[in-house]
Every structure is written in structure tokens, then in C-alpha cells.
Amino acid sequence: MQELPVISSVNESNSVVKKPNWLRVKLPTGENYRHVRNLVDTHKLHTICESGNCPNMGECWGEGTATFMILGNVCTRSCGFCAVATGRPDSVDWDEPQRVAEAIHLMKVKHAVLTSVDRDELKDGGSTIWHNTIKAVKALTPDTTLETLIPDFKGKAEDIQRIIDAHPEVVSHNIETVERLTRQVRIQAKYRRSMEVLKILKEGGMRTKSGIMCGLGETKEEVMQTMQDLRNSGVDVITLGQYLQPTKKHLPVLRFVHPDEFAEFREFGYNIGFDYVESGPLVRSSYHSEKHVIPGYGKEQWLKQKEMMIS
């Protein structure tokens, strides 16, 4: 087993926060992993799996899936938690949608995830490339289901509508943290704006999803309030996972949340009406996302587990 690539963190009282033993993952190996690695390199694609130092890359790639990051790998925003580079992005590559579609076709996957950097310098925020990529994937592999993890597009309705018009199976936009910490964690983002984006998507008929990172200094009550706010915005699927500091330049981990607390969040989420709750230390946005497409699946599995525990 390999320890996660997380920097030893220091909390507000300058004491080192030790990495717990449950934060371990398998090394990426296997034929499927090498196959995906080759496709990503051959087609010059960007994946958030690599750019975001995802701890589940070995597992997901080993199963023949990956989360593709469109619109380049340089972001116009400088979030305090994110390992993706910040700066001036390259010009838009209008051939990218077809390349991504071809790679997904060659991978022969039943489900794919798309995400992107923020492109605030573009008039449309990159939403046209988003629309074209979804359409290209659907045209080449019509049986492939898609989750799209989108930026906030500064809340512009016409840009959000382009995603709705392309009609992916799931549209995700991560709230990332609680309202009190948003300015520190998501420097150029706004908590209420993100909630409004999710509401617009839901009103447009989308199956919606969002995610929260834990361990940045939030309280349990604040996490639960954020979950309730997301539910009030109509969100169907929620993911909760442990924040891991990618480098010393990023925000430190103030607390490693115990798996039992993640289990509490899962219980609370289902009780307030989420259709699927993915909650655990190693959970990331696209982890098990192929199951998040299926209405009722998460709640059904949760109820079965509860029945087994009672019996």
C-alpha cells in the first residue's frame, strides 16, 4: 500500500496533524491502467486525475475510466486547495471536443466524466467548448453516459443553458466548502452564486450533483447546513471527502475527519432527501460516478444496508 501524496499539515496551534492509517491507496498498476495511460498520452488529453493528484487514480484508471479536463490545464482562478496550475491559459483548442470524444470511444467505457478549468477570460466562460464536447461524445458513443463537472460560469444563465441544452446525464458543480470558509478556500467564487447555478440546472431538468471537502476548519454543524442548502437547491447527489494538501503552498489540513463522522454525514444526507450520498475519507467528485447516474440506486443500497444491520 502507498501513502497518499499529502503534505504533513500544521493546524492553527502549530502542532503537526498526523496522517491517519486509513489514508492509504494502492499503487496504480495493471493492463487497463496502462491502456488508459497510453490513450491519455497519445491524444494529448488533460485529466484532473493527474492535475488534481487524485488518490483514486489507480483504481479508476485500472477500471478503464478517467475524468477528462477540457479547456486546457491552466486555470484563471487561484483556489487555495487546488493543485491545478493558475495563470494565463492557452488559446481555445476548437479540435479538443472531437479528440476527447475519440478517446472515450477508444476506451469503450460506458460512463465518462468531463470537467474543466475556469476560463474567466473568455466571454462565454468556455461554455461553447463544453457544449461541443458533450455533443461530440454523444454523437460518437451514444450509449455512453456522461457526468459534467462544470465551473460556475460567473452565474451567467446563457452559459449554464448551453450545458442544459447538451443534456448530459449528470451535471455537477462543487460547493467545496462551507459558506464561512468560501472566500478563503474558493477565492474568486461565491457560495450563494454556486447554489443558484445548481438551482438553475435543476430547474432545467438536470440530475444535479455537488461535493464538499472536509478538514479545512469547518464544524460538523456547518457541513450539515451546507448539505441542507444543497438539498434546498434541488441537488440529487452529494459527495463528501477528506481534503488533502497538495503542496506546502496550499491550505493546510486542519483536521483528518474520522470515517465514523463521514458515516454520520451519509446518514444525515439520506435522511434529508438526497438520492445518492458518497461519503468517506478517500471520496472525490468522480469516485463511483457511474453509479450516480442511476436514480434511486444510492438510497436503495443504503436502505438494504440498514435492514441488514437491524436483522
Side-chain angles (χ1 to χ4, degrees):
M1 300 290 281
Q2 178 191 18
E3 289 194 5
L4 291 176
V6 54
I7 305 298
S8 295
S9 299
V10 178
N11 63 21
E12 290 173 332
S13 60
N14 292 323
S15 60
V16 175
V17 182
K18 287 188 176 181
K19 291 177 286 186
N21 58 12
W22 61 76
L23 286 176
R24 296 175 182 272
V25 292
K26 294 180 180 178
L27 282 166
T29 58
E31 184 178 343
N32 284 344
Y33 171 81
R34 289 190 292 272
H35 176 62
V36 175
R37 165 86 278 163
N38 182 59
L39 284 171
V40 168
D41 292 343
T42 300
H43 289 267
K44 299 178 182 178
L45 300 169
H46 302 296
T47 69
I48 194 64
C49 317
E50 298 169 292
S51 298
N53 294 331
C54 181
N56 302 308
M57 186 171 71
E59 179 182 347
C60 295
W61 284 27
E63 294 176 357
T65 64
T67 300
F68 296 104
M69 187 166 66
I70 61 176
L71 288 163
N73 63 349
V74 177
C75 188
T76 55
R77 298 191 184 182
S78 53
C79 296
F81 67 90
C82 186
V84 175
T86 301
R88 179 174 297 189
D90 293 333
S91 58
V92 172
D93 179 1
W94 293 100
D95 294 327
E96 185 177 43
Q98 190 60 33
R99 289 206 321 277
V100 171
E102 288 171 359
I104 289 172
H105 175 68
L106 288 170
M107 287 171 64
K108 299 179 181 178
V109 294
K110 295 181 180 179
H111 178 76
V113 182
L114 301 176
T115 188
S116 79
V117 292
D118 284 277
R119 294 296 299 262
D120 292 329
E121 89 286 6
L122 300 176
K123 185 177 180 180
D124 70 347
S127 60
T128 301
I129 285 286
W130 262 107
H131 178 93
N132 292 350
T133 304
I134 297 166
K135 285 295 189 181
V137 172
K138 290 293 184 182
L140 199 56
T141 55
D143 295 330
T144 296
T145 56
L146 275 179
E147 176 186 326
T148 53
L149 175 54
I150 65 169
D152 62 21
F153 297 120
K154 294 184 177 179
K156 294 180 180 177
E158 62 269 30
D159 295 333
I160 300 168
Q161 187 62 45
R162 288 191 180 96
I163 307 298
I164 296 171
D165 291 344
H167 207 74
E169 279 71 22
V170 177
V171 184
S172 181
H173 173 63
N174 285 340
I175 198 68
E176 305 291 10
T177 191
V178 301
E179 187 168 16
R180 176 175 59 87
L181 297 176
T182 295
R183 184 173 295 182
Q184 176 186 4
V185 176
R186 304 171 66 211
I187 299 167
Q188 294 100 322
K190 297 178 181 178
Y191 183 87
R192 292 297 165 186
R193 183 169 70 187
S194 286
M195 290 293 176
E196 183 62 24
V197 168
L198 288 161
K199 186 177 179 181
I200 292 171
L201 290 166
K202 190 61 187 176
E203 290 173 348
M206 297 290 95
R207 180 170 172 82
T208 53
K209 175 178 170 181
S210 192
I212 302 171
M213 300 177 298
C214 298
L216 284 161
E218 72 290 331
T219 66
K220 183 188 294 188
E221 291 72 24
E222 285 177 318
V223 172
M224 290 179 170
Q225 182 59 59
T226 303
M227 294 174 72
Q228 186 64 67
D229 289 345
L230 289 169
R231 190 68 201 104
N232 292 345
S233 295
V235 172
D236 301 292
V237 181
I238 186 171
T239 63
L240 299 101
Q242 173 69 53
Y243 166 66
L244 300 174
Q245 185 187 29
T247 75
K248 291 181 179 180
K249 295 180 180 179
H250 292 84
L251 293 170
V253 176
L254 295 185
R255 183 169 74 98
F256 287 109
V257 180
H258 194 276
D260 289 348
E261 192 167 326
F262 280 112
E264 288 183 47
F265 291 145
R266 182 171 184 256
E267 183 87 5
F268 176 75
Y270 280 122
N271 284 334
I272 64 173
F274 282 104
D275 188 58
Y276 203 120
V277 182
E278 196 83 64
S279 183
L282 293 176
V283 167
R284 294 297 179 269
S285 293
S286 57
Y287 189 54
H288 293 160
S289 65
E290 71 280 0
K291 298 175 183 176
H292 301 165
V293 175
I294 309 167
Y297 178 83
K299 185 167 285 188
E300 180 184 337
Q301 295 302 307
W302 173 65
L303 290 172
K304 284 182 180 178
Q305 289 176 12
K306 288 177 71 71
E307 289 174 6
M308 288 176 64
M309 290 175 66
I310 294 172
S311 60

